[in-house]
Amino acid sequence: MPCILFLFIGCSCSHIKEENRRYPNIILLYTDDLGYGDVGAYGAIRVKTPNIDFMAENGIKFTDAHCSAATCTPSRYSLLTGNYAFRRQAKVLPGDAPLLIEPGTPTLPAMLREAGYKTGVVGKWHLGLGDGNVDWNQEVRPGPLEIGFDYSFLLPSTGDRVPAVYLENYKVLHLDPKDPLKIKFTDDPSKTNPFTRPTGITHPDLLKQQADPQHSGSIINGISRIGFMGGGVTAEWVDEDMSDVLLEKAVSFISDAKEQPFFLYFSFHDIHVPRAPHARFEGASEMGPRGDAIAQMDWVSGQILQALKNLKIENETLVLFTSDNGPVLNDGYEDGALEAKGDHQPAGPFRGGKYSAYEAGTRVPTIAYWHEQIKPQVSNALWSQTDLFASFAALVGKGSLHGLTDSKNMLDVLLGKSEKGRDELLEESYTFSLRKGNWKYIMPSDKDYGWVEDTKGIASGILLYPQLYDLTTDIEEKTNLATTHPEKLKEMQQTLDRILNE
């Protein structure tokens, strides 16, 4: 959802009367695990997404926009820093990981704050917190406030990991000091549980959803998580209420910040596992909890738009809707997502999904919406969420930025003024892929990622030999041209090597 914000730079902003509203507000609606084909504007069936479709019909619908990586922590790192995640060896983090983005690192929110924006993050974080030895009963720092945000309200990691509590700025919300919160993070819940809270292994009868072994740690709200959690009972979240809690915090931030330009990074938990939408969305789709979570996410997006209208700032606010990576159906919990999918195609016409080197790993629905300021259109420009940093820097009049290796200025693309996107684009997964125009190269790897297909049902795209595809005629990446086009293969390999060694 992030990319839309740049559109404002194309306006004279003559309708903005206050001197301190020189630049547009920016809202990044960042969904989780939402595939290219999971919303109506991109071909979804069996679930309706009227609010997202409205933005697509009245804004810019991008057909070749990408998150930077096929998993969430790397994508989020690149989004906020403007650099590819491999340069920081970023990978999916455990629930007790230290802050991945070191204070002092140039970040998108810090750059916008320097330009006069009030900056906030609400929702899933999953970029680590603290210094690696966090006491959750004290102030938890460093975190978002040390890397450019003025306000934060977080799921510290993800919904399927402990700690299952909210963190507002530095403090765990509603924590009783007489019941201190402790966590011990492990991917193996068969290990000794140091706490008394039941686990999915010891008490499967308490579960709302059965889980795989990795997700069978401590049970919170009838759902087992990865890792062990002790104490903190009054601080536990209720999954079914999460979308409402995050929405209220987001609208509150918007209302409080409306007198100055603001940047809101609204990071949905939906439609990540565990999928437990509010009861009022039960049956909102024909696809069970996953489809109902998509409907819930669409409703929340509509409420954000309505808040802008109520506050009379919709003409001053750029909204970008997108996703952190491609789709996955079975990701640790038995919620019937695969069985209820029917003829719905979460990845649209593309191969792969979350974790995958194929296009569906990173090609995600992306819409830029700016009420009555953006000409409705469809753009086929190639670009990445990594480019938001440089594009926003151009928006607020900043030139070249020190330490920004990978972000490219795509402002004209985001404003709908040009379809001239990137000449080349790196896609990260458990290997590296490269796009040059409609050519796609996937670097070979001898590492075993068979679990992606065996447990997730997704083609990983990781093979022992190089792959080369012409997406002009082979959008599903089925015909490997590596042996028939050796010169093109060599060119792509050399370009990728150059990027990796920059």
Side-chain angles (χ1 to χ4, degrees):
M1 307 180 177
C3 305
I4 299 174
L5 304 179
F6 297 126
L7 301 174
F8 283 103
I9 206 163
C11 106
S12 65
C13 297
S14 59
H15 61 287
I16 301 175
K17 296 180 180 179
E18 302 95 324
E19 185 176 331
N20 68 348
R21 195 173 288 289
R22 178 181 170 191
Y23 304 122
N25 306 316
I26 298 169
I27 296 179
L28 174 57
L29 300 177
Y30 207 55
T31 57
D32 200 312
D33 293 354
L34 186 75
Y36 187 93
D38 271 331
V39 296
Y42 288 81
I45 55 177
R46 301 173 66 84
V47 61
K48 291 180 169 54
T49 55
N51 296 294
I52 297 164
D53 298 348
F54 170 83
M55 287 190 282
E57 292 164 7
N58 295 275
I60 303 177
K61 172 188 168 183
F62 295 99
T63 64
D64 207 355
H66 294 251
C67 56
S68 70
T71 50
C72 68
T73 295
S75 277
R76 292 159 195 270
Y77 175 86
S78 296
L79 170 73
L80 294 179
T81 66
N83 285 325
Y84 292 130
F86 76 85
R87 302 197 192 282
R88 185 69 171 82
Q89 293 81 50
K91 57 184 179 179
V92 177
L93 293 178
D96 60 351
L99 182 65
L100 180 62
I101 303 174
E102 296 179 356
T105 301
T107 67
L108 173 59
M111 180 272 294
L112 289 173
R113 185 163 67 179
E114 289 174 4
Y117 280 72
K118 184 171 183 179
T119 58
V121 53
V122 173
K124 174 180 167 178
W125 183 238
H126 209 183
L127 286 166
L129 290 164
D131 58 6
N133 187 30
V134 170
D135 181 349
W136 296 94
N137 306 282
Q138 305 298 321
E139 289 195 344
V140 178
R141 62 170 75 195
L145 304 191
E146 279 67 47
I147 63 167
F149 287 104
D150 296 308
Y151 173 75
S152 70
F153 185 89
L154 309 177
L155 281 65
S157 181
T158 70
D160 62 348
R161 287 165 170 77
V162 299
V165 297
Y166 297 118
L167 184 74
E168 187 165 30
N169 294 325
Y170 296 122
K171 303 288 285 186
V172 173
L173 200 66
H174 304 312
L175 184 61
D176 181 354
K178 297 179 181 178
D179 183 29
L181 170 64
K182 298 180 180 179
I183 69 166
K184 181 175 179 57
F185 199 84
T186 175
D187 283 337
D188 182 4
S190 67
K191 292 182 177 180
T192 302
N193 178 6
F195 311 121
T196 58
R197 185 183 272 103
T199 71
I201 291 178
T202 61
H203 292 75
D205 55 304
L206 299 180
L207 296 176
K208 300 174 184 177
Q209 299 176 12
Q210 296 300 308
D212 65 15
Q214 181 190 26
H215 292 78
S216 293
S218 291
I219 298 174
I220 295 97
N221 186 40
I223 299 173
S224 55
R225 321 283 166 158
I226 303 175
F228 299 124
M229 176 169 150
V233 173
T234 58
E236 294 174 2
W237 65 48
V238 176
D239 300 76
E240 292 83 354
D241 295 338
M242 186 176 291
S243 64
D244 288 347
V245 171
L246 299 182
L247 174 61
E248 188 276 328
K249 294 296 181 180
V251 171
S252 178
F253 173 83
I254 292 169
S255 180
D256 291 344
K258 68 181 184 298
E259 298 304 323
Q260 68 182 95
F262 65 80
F263 168 56
L264 172 62
Y265 171 37
F266 184 78
S267 180
F268 286 85
H269 177 261
D270 288 330
I271 55 174
H272 195 280
V273 294
R275 303 175 188 119
H278 194 279
R280 67 178 180 276
F281 292 99
E282 185 175 351
S285 76
E286 300 175 34
M287 293 192 295
R290 184 175 185 273
D292 295 349
I294 293 174
Q296 176 173 266
M297 175 270 300
D298 177 80
W299 178 83
V300 170
S301 299
Q303 293 299 299
I304 296 287
L305 297 181
Q306 185 62 47
L308 299 177
K309 186 175 182 179
N310 293 344
L311 293 168
K312 297 181 172 29
I313 57 173
E314 57 182 340
N315 282 15
E316 303 165 12
T317 307
L318 179 61
V319 182
L320 179 65
F321 174 90
T322 191
S323 179
D324 68 340
N325 51 245
V328 59
L329 298 180
N330 180 8
D331 208 17
Y333 296 89
E334 297 178 13
D335 63 4
L338 182 61
E339 297 81 358
K341 178 179 76 71
D343 51 357
H344 174 77
Q345 299 297 321
F350 305 109
R351 188 178 184 188
K354 185 177 182 179
Y355 310 111
S356 175
Y358 293 124
E359 278 293 280
T362 63
R363 196 185 296 210
V364 290
T366 303
I367 301 164
Y369 171 73
W370 183 17
H371 181 65
E372 294 186 350
Q373 307 300 324
I374 293 176
K375 180 181 177 181
Q377 59 192 282
V378 175
S379 173
N380 299 317
L382 174 68
W383 64 281
S384 165
Q385 293 169 12
T386 308
D387 301 326
L388 291 179
F389 198 149
S391 302
F392 288 156
L395 172 66
V396 299
K398 291 186 178 288
S400 58
L401 298 172
H402 177 70
L404 205 59
T405 303
D406 303 311
S407 188
K408 308 300 180 186
N409 181 2
M410 294 285 114
L411 185 58
D412 283 346
V413 169
L414 293 170
L415 292 171
K417 293 183 171 184
S418 172
E419 283 225 9
K420 173 58 177 167
R422 276 175 165 261
D423 295 323
E424 56 196 37
L425 183 146
L426 179 77
E427 301 174 12
E428 294 192 58
S429 57
Y430 291 110
T431 185
F432 297 102
S433 305
L434 177 73
R435 284 282 307 279
K436 291 188 77 172
N438 276 328
W439 285 98
K440 169 81 173 278
Y441 166 71
I442 303 177
M443 190 172 78
S445 174
D446 60 0
K447 295 182 179 179
D448 183 7
Y449 288 103
W451 61 267
V452 176
E453 186 149 9
D454 294 342
T455 67
K456 310 300 182 183
I458 295 170
S460 71
I462 299 174
L463 300 174
L464 295 171
Y465 48 84
Q467 299 169 73
L468 181 68
Y469 300 102
D470 182 358
L471 302 182
T472 305
T473 57
D474 182 23
I475 198 67
E476 294 183 345
E477 298 170 271
K478 292 292 184 67
T479 304
N480 187 0
L481 302 176
T483 58
T484 58
H485 290 67
E487 290 304 315
K488 177 58 71 172
L489 178 67
K490 181 179 179 181
E491 173 195 332
M492 300 288 277
Q493 289 173 328
Q494 289 177 339
T495 301
L496 179 58
D497 288 343
R498 171 180 56 77
I499 294 171
L500 294 178
N501 289 290
E502 284 178 343

